[in-house]
Amino acid sequence: VVYEASAKSNAELSPADVYRLFEQTYINSSPVKLIGYREKTNGGSHVEAAVEKDQTEFNIEGSGNGVLDAFCNALRKELGIDFEIVYYTEHSLESGAGAQAITYVEISSGGKTFFGAGISSNIIKSSMRAVTSAVNNSIKSS
């Protein structure tokens, strides 16, 4: 991504340009955007999430062995996209109690891989945003 942008502009990119490219490519909320969610855990996990797709808001819900798995199951069911998380990592962007975290995911869908990232002070929300971004990248490639 960076190489292509640098070659296209025939110039070295600034750190701000590189970060902007990262945001546009991997932290994206289009066409699907997570609006909010509620979780219930009682042996397993259940998630009810409000999402927006193509400027239409609707609710999705799913169950799984954890909150992220439940959210993924809800996305699969509602969007009709089969995907699996094949890589997941996270780290803090700051220090302190209110620090924001960034989550990176790689998903596999239709024999291809897609990447996404999410940022939030809530690690579950950061993870859901990352999955949503990766799913958006898979939708955009179709």
Side-chain angles (χ1 to χ4, degrees):
V1 174
V2 173
Y3 176 78
E4 290 172 4
S6 179
K8 190 174 188 177
S9 67
N10 202 24
E12 188 172 317
L13 300 179
S14 71
D17 292 334
V18 172
Y19 185 72
R20 193 171 27 264
L21 276 172
F22 175 79
E23 283 185 312
Q24 292 169 349
T25 306
Y26 300 110
I27 304 176
N28 61 69
S29 58
S30 175
V32 181
K33 179 180 181 180
L34 174 66
I35 305 298
Y37 72 96
R38 291 186 320 179
E39 62 181 275
K40 299 176 191 174
T41 54
N42 187 13
S45 294
H46 186 80
V47 168
E48 296 172 356
V51 296
E52 183 180 288
K53 182 173 186 233
D54 300 325
Q55 301 175 346
T56 302
E57 189 174 325
F58 54 95
N59 294 315
I60 62 174
E61 61 180 281
S63 298
N65 62 14
V67 175
L68 188 58
D69 185 48
F71 179 69
C72 289
N73 287 334
L75 278 178
R76 287 182 195 104
K77 182 172 66 175
E78 183 63 39
L79 300 177
I81 298 171
D82 187 31
F83 68 91
E84 293 297 323
I85 296 175
V86 295
Y87 182 78
Y88 173 100
T89 190
E90 64 194 44
H91 66 85
S92 176
L93 292 173
E94 307 158 329
S95 61
Q100 293 216 318
I102 186 164
T103 303
Y104 310 94
V105 298
E106 176 185 1
I107 64 169
S108 174
S109 179
K112 297 179 182 176
T113 59
F114 304 95
F115 298 90
I119 297 175
S120 178
S121 58
N122 176 316
I123 196 63
I124 298 297
K125 187 181 278 185
S126 171
S127 300
M128 290 177 167
R129 286 177 174 168
V131 167
T132 304
S133 293
V135 167
N136 282 336
N137 285 332
S138 75
I139 291 169
K140 289 175 184 177
S141 79
S142 303

